[in-house]
Amino acid sequence: MKLDRLLGILTILLQRDRVTAPFLAERFEVNRRTIGRDIDTLCRAGIPIITHQGMGGGISIADGFKLDKSVLTKDELAGIIAAIKGLGSVSEESQIERTLDKLGANADAVVSMNEPIVIDLASYYKGNLTHSIEKIKHAIRESRLIEFVYYYEKGESHRQIEPYLIVFQWSSWYVFGFCVERQDWRLFKLVRLSKLTISDESFTPREIPPEKRDFYTHFTDEIDLVAIFDFSEKYRLIETYGFGSFTETEEGLRLEVSFTNRDFLIGWLLGFGGKVTVLEPEDIVKEIKTAAKNILSNYK
């Protein structure tokens, strides 16, 4: 698009002292005449562009204008680059690379691309995850329904939703939308989606209620756990719930926290083996005992 090209040319001119028309033509895959028209458009928009003739000539922006180019600080721009890199880990679009290239892929860039922060949002399921995200993004842009098989603690079900947002939260990716079957807003974990397709049926976008944008409300704390963990498991509790989440006692580390998913809670507790003792609730204590007996029977 012409607007994208104009912004790209302006970005390069702000980063470099001088460039040539052939360089810009090659970079944006257009002819020199098109670049000439783009330069005229920028001049009419009030950008003081100077054209230098002869050996060593080229195109540049007047020095007085370039002094005020730093809308973003170096640290702010570095943060943007790190964020774009993270998004690129789950994106198939070459636009990510082009954007990064414009921001700082050359020696005269405002900030180096070799940032000390690495963000990888892909997880083990990068292939399927990237494919799903691109598909859902397309459906959101086109206001088209999506359909999929969803796996959860009660089994599996076919769902059809109006997709509105792709959410990264709690270290996982979700699609947020209006479920046609339940007639309510729902969050669906992307790694649990199967047979994702974009429907031919479109929908009229509806307003998302403000309270539904608080994604924490989609999970209710129903199980209040009280447990004592061995001191050797302090690092794991800190990693999961942070400093100050437990109390140190003579018996061990006392943790009081609420859970939503019963199956997840049982699996999480069993992962500590004999280094945790559940005190409450009683039904969880009984289920842990039963699970321990079943595990023992597998090895007889």
Side-chain angles (χ1 to χ4, degrees), residues 138-200:
H138 177 74
I140 293 173
R141 286 193 294 263
E142 300 291 328
S143 296
R144 302 254 300 277
L145 294 172
I146 60 173
E147 301 179 17
F148 51 85
V149 175
Y150 192 65
Y151 296 86
Y152 64 122
E153 61 269 17
K154 296 181 180 179
E156 60 185 82
S157 65
H158 177 268
R159 298 296 181 97
Q160 185 181 59
I161 72 167
E162 302 172 2
Y164 287 86
L165 297 171
I166 298 172
V167 181
F168 182 79
Q169 201 158 358
W170 310 292
S171 301
S172 297
W173 286 93
Y174 299 81
V175 56
F176 175 72
F178 190 82
C179 181
V180 175
E181 178 184 353
R182 303 295 174 84
Q183 285 295 293
D184 199 3
W185 300 91
R186 291 287 190 272
L187 269 177
F188 298 94
K189 206 168 190 176
L190 292 194
V191 294
R192 296 184 184 176
L193 269 63
S194 175
K195 301 177 182 178
L196 173 64
T197 59
I198 301 177
S199 172
D200 293 332

Side-chain angles (χ1 to χ4, degrees), residues 232-242 268 271-273:
S232 64
E233 300 305 299
K234 179 184 290 188
Y235 76 99
R236 293 179 65 181
L237 297 184
I238 291 174
E239 180 180 299
T240 306
Y241 294 105
W268 184 70
F272 288 90

